[in-house]
């Protein structure tokens, strides 16, 4: 009611609307009215404007973002869960497959589904649980975090794809969940604690052995110096995605770009709270040659705005030749 009353009878652009919402809330974290409430109004206005112009939503987003070259992103498909998303012995939160080497989005979608079902068959054959975690991936009890990578690679092969040519692995470590007392604590697997330097060495070792092309939240949000080391060491070879470390916030991203932290931004609309601020963050990442990944949220509705956002901003693109490095 407060929002509706403040905006009644006013004709506003998307940016003016979002700025009015931010001013009406009046707090740095949108804590008075709530980021989700503001986002609902912001997204409704975005859809209403697209409808009034008789434009598909992705094209309207493209106009707001000043983009007229649309691409479908390579999907990142979560097939195995650990960490806080699963009751299992795996510390890392998500193990994803990326069908980078196929020719179209449709082929990539099919490949991801076939890998998922191949993985189910492998786990079932080993007597492992084939229940799924919060993010929809399987949540088996494995001997180690490394075994999680290896079973995903086995599934890629069983689905008829060549690992490292057509199918690649992406990780979401969610390492803020492991961060305690200046070290990374592996409670689930029982592996030894690691320093920031040892985490970077772990990723280097894995990348020598496995076709890993993306690591999300490889270090904790509070480990800024560690992020600098991670980026300087691996940033030219792998996508280093900031989720918890950037939280889709343009001000934090600006600092990250200046300090050479990460090379990719995970984008979640409700982390920042308005469409305009989201597009500003994506544009900032683009201008700094950071990749952008439009992300869903756990337990969300079937609203499809994020698909239009990904296509409208041509998100998910890497520099030419990235995967041949």
């Amino acid at each position: 009611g407060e929002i509706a009353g403040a905006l009644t009878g006013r004709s506003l652009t998307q940016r003016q609307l979002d700025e009015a919402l931010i001013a009406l809330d009046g707090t740095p974290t949108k804590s008075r009215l709530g980021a989700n409430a503001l986002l609902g109004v912001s997204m409704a206005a975005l859809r209403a404007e697209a409808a009034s112009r008789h434009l598909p939503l992705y094209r309207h987003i493209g106009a707001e973002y000043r983009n007229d070259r649309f691409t479908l992103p390579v999907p990142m498909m979560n097939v195995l869960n650990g960490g806080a998303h699963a009751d299992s012995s795996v510390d890392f939160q998500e193990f994803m497959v990326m069908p980078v080497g196929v020719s179209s989005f449709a082929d990539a979608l099919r490949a991801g589904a076939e890998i998922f079902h191949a993985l189910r068959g492998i786990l079932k054959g080993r007597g492992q649980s084939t229940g799924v975690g919060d993010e929809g991936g399987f949540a088996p009890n494995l001997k180690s975090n490394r075994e999680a990578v290896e079973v995903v690679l086995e599934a890629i092969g069983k689905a008829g794809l060549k690992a490292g040519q057509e199918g690649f692995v992406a990780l979401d470590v969610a390492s803020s969940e492991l961060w305690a007392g200046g070290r990374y604590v592996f409670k689930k697997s029982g592996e030894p604690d690691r320093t920031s330097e040892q985490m970077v060495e772990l990723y280097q070792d894995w990348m020598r052995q496995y076709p890993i092309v993306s690591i999300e939240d490889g270090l904790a949000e509070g480990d800024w110096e560690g992020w600098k080391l991670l980026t300087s060491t691996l940033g030219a070879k792998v996508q280093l995605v900031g989720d918890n470390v950037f939280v889709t916030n343009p001000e934090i991203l600006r600092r990250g770009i200046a300090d050479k932290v990460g090379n990719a931004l995970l984008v979640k609309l409700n982390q920042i709270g308005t469409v305009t601020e989201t597009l500003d963050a994506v544009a900032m990442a683009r201008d700094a040659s950071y990749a952008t990944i439009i992300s869903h949220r756990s337990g969300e509705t079937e609203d499809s705005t994020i698909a239009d956002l990904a296509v409208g901003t041509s998100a998910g693109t890497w520099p030419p030749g990235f995967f041949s490095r």
Side-chain angles (χ1 to χ4, degrees):
E2 186 175 345
I3 293 174
L7 301 177
T8 298
R10 299 176 66 183
S11 178
L12 301 171
T13 65
Q14 184 75 46
R15 183 171 292 276
Q16 288 170 336
L17 169 71
D18 290 341
E19 288 174 350
L21 291 172
I22 293 165
L24 187 62
D25 175 87
T27 68
T29 58
K30 301 183 178 66
S31 58
R32 193 171 78 86
L33 297 175
N36 283 330
L38 269 60
L39 181 61
V41 175
S42 183
M43 287 172 58
L46 182 76
R47 283 189 169 273
E49 183 72 9
S52 72
R53 294 184 179 185
H54 305 288
L55 287 174
L57 184 57
Y58 76 90
R59 286 195 172 274
H60 177 54
I61 291 172
E64 292 285 328
Y65 184 67
R66 298 184 181 178
N67 173 49
D68 60 2
R69 298 181 66 185
F70 303 108
T71 59
L72 289 167
V74 176
M76 302 176 73
M77 298 171 167
N78 184 355
V79 296
L80 196 149
N81 291 173
H85 285 176
D87 183 16
S88 72
S89 57
V90 178
D91 299 285
F92 292 0
Q93 186 166 276
E94 295 176 13
F95 296 79
M96 294 167 275
V97 292
M98 295 184 66
V100 173
V102 301
S103 59
S104 69
F105 185 90
D107 288 339
L109 182 60
R110 186 191 72 243
E114 290 173 351
I115 293 166
F116 181 82
H117 289 290
L119 181 57
R120 180 195 294 273
I122 291 167
L123 294 174
K124 189 173 181 180
R126 295 183 183 181
Q128 286 279 2
S129 167
T130 53
V132 296
D134 290 349
E135 290 284 335
F138 298 112
N141 276 308
L142 302 173
K143 295 175 184 176
S144 65
N145 295 294
R146 182 186 291 271
E147 188 180 6
V149 180
E150 291 173 348
V151 75
V152 169
L153 291 172
E154 185 179 343
I156 290 172
K158 188 176 180 181
L161 297 175
K162 294 180 180 178
Q165 295 182 32
E166 297 163 314
F168 293 79
V169 175
L171 309 175
D172 178 3
V173 180
S175 58
S176 292
E177 300 284 343
L178 309 177
W179 182 246
R183 297 176 71 85
Y184 294 89
V185 180
F186 288 66
K187 293 180 181 178
K188 288 192 156 194
S189 65
E191 295 176 25
D193 297 355
R194 289 180 171 90
T195 63
S196 303
E197 292 79 7
Q198 288 170 329
M199 290 292 285
V200 174
E201 289 169 4
L202 180 148
Y203 300 138
Q204 281 183 299
D205 185 41
W206 280 23
M207 286 172 59
R208 279 192 289 266
Q209 298 175 64
Y210 309 124
I212 295 170
V213 292
S214 181
I215 303 172
E216 179 182 334
D217 284 345
L219 293 176
E221 59 195 279
D223 189 7
W224 198 259
E225 291 303 314
W227 263 101
K228 289 182 184 180
L229 174 65
L230 177 66
T231 308
S232 63
T233 305
L234 298 178
K237 299 176 182 178
V238 67
Q239 182 174 257
L240 298 172
V241 186
D243 176 13
N244 292 335
V245 71
F246 294 141
V247 290
T248 319
N249 187 311
E251 294 306 313
I252 301 173
L253 177 60
R254 182 177 288 110
R255 180 188 168 205
I257 292 167
D259 287 353
K260 293 183 170 57
V261 164
N263 59 23
L265 170 69
L266 197 78
V267 178
K268 293 176 178 173
L269 282 157
N270 75 336
Q271 277 184 329
I272 190 62
T274 66
V275 169
T276 297
E277 289 169 292
T278 302
L279 293 178
D280 285 349
V282 174
M284 185 181 295
R286 174 202 62 203
D287 293 345
S289 297
Y290 276 46
T292 51
I293 299 162
I294 310 299
S295 173
H296 72 101
R297 300 306 306 265
S298 305
E300 67 183 12
T301 70
E302 292 183 355
D303 182 276
S304 58
T305 302
I306 63 163
D308 290 275
L309 182 63
V311 175
T313 59
S314 294
T317 53
W318 294 271
F322 186 90
F323 286 109
S324 62
R325 294 180 185 182

